[in-house]
């Protein structure tokens, strides 16, 4: 589809108009997880033949996605960056990004992410963006969803299982707030939405609740096209 990034930017602009606008020290917040993938989520990468997979680990590991239509026959490698929260504990985690390329538009894929040394996520599925001009996307758009009392989450999970959405659009104000409790609230929120965002692209734009530490939690955790 020509101009996917431009279309995405226009959708964000329309919906966002309704929203108020030394070496790091590892800590043992996730002792059972270590290098195991957490907070897995997808996002469009600007082309119908691409998909971005993003996740977090407590320890530094390789960034690998195994994927395919009939099995996990293909391998893509990416990179990770250190995210150090601005709170008083300066908690550290590693944000992994792997771009899948050469996808067939509209086709369904299986994938898992992780590494041999840290372990693999469960196997998820996604459908690559459709191409051309003869289709209309189906998506859920909302803002202001916190970690606690996220009343729409169960409905979103059910609708995602039923295949009702091509993508999700969350137009600001996440978790209330992602930096709270030295970013533990952000971690919990990202794990909550994994049951949706690991299956359909979870597209976002920033809100006023993300302003702490120069918006670092938002910028570090999400991977948007053109960002």
């Amino acid at each position: 589809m020509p101009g996917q990034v431009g279309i995405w930017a226009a959708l964000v602009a329309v919906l966002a108009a309704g929203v108020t606008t030394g070496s790091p020290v590892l800590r043992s917040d996730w002792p059972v997880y270590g290098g195991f993938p957490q907070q897995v989520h997808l996002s469009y990468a600007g082309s119908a033949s691409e998909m971005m997979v993003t996740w977090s680990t407590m320890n530094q590991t390789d960034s690998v996605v195994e994927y395919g239509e009939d099995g996990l026959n293909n391998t893509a490698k990416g990179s990770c960056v250190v995210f150090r929260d601005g709170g008083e504990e300066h908690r550290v985690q590693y944000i992994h990004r792997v771009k899948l390329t050469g996808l067939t538009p509209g086709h369904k894929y299986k994938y898992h992410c992780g590494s041999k040394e840290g372990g693999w996520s469960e196997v998820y599925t996604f459908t690559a963006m459709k191409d051309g001009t003869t289709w209309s996307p189906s998506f859920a758009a909302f803002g202001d969803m916190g970690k606690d009392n996220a009343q729409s989450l169960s409905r979103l999970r059910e609708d995602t299982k039923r295949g009702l959405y091509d993508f999700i659009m969350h137009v600001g104000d996440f978790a209330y707030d992602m930096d709270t409790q030295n970013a533990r609230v952000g971690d919990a929120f990202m794990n909550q939405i994994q049951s949706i965002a690991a299956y359909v692209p979870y597209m976002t734009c920033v809100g006023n609740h993300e302003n702490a530490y120069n918006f670092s939690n938002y910028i570090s955790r999400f991977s948007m096209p053109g960002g």
Side-chain angles (χ1 to χ4, degrees), residues 40-43 51-53 65-72 100 103 106-113 121-129 160-163 165-166 194-202:
V40 179
H41 55 287
L42 301 171
S43 56
M51 187 72 74
M52 184 70 75
V53 186
V65 175
E66 296 180 336
Y67 68 102
E69 291 190 63
D70 300 318
L72 305 178
L100 308 185
L103 304 175
H107 283 219
K108 190 173 183 177
Y109 290 84
K110 300 176 182 178
Y111 78 98
H112 68 182
C113 60
S121 72
E122 65 179 274
V123 175
Y124 302 106
T125 62
F126 70 85
T127 299
M129 181 192 291
T160 298
K161 289 179 181 179
R162 295 171 59 196
Y165 304 132
D166 293 304
Q194 179 176 281
S195 58
I196 303 165
Y199 294 95
V200 295
Y202 199 92

Side-chain angles (χ1 to χ4, degrees), residues 9 57 149 172:
T57 59
N149 198 30

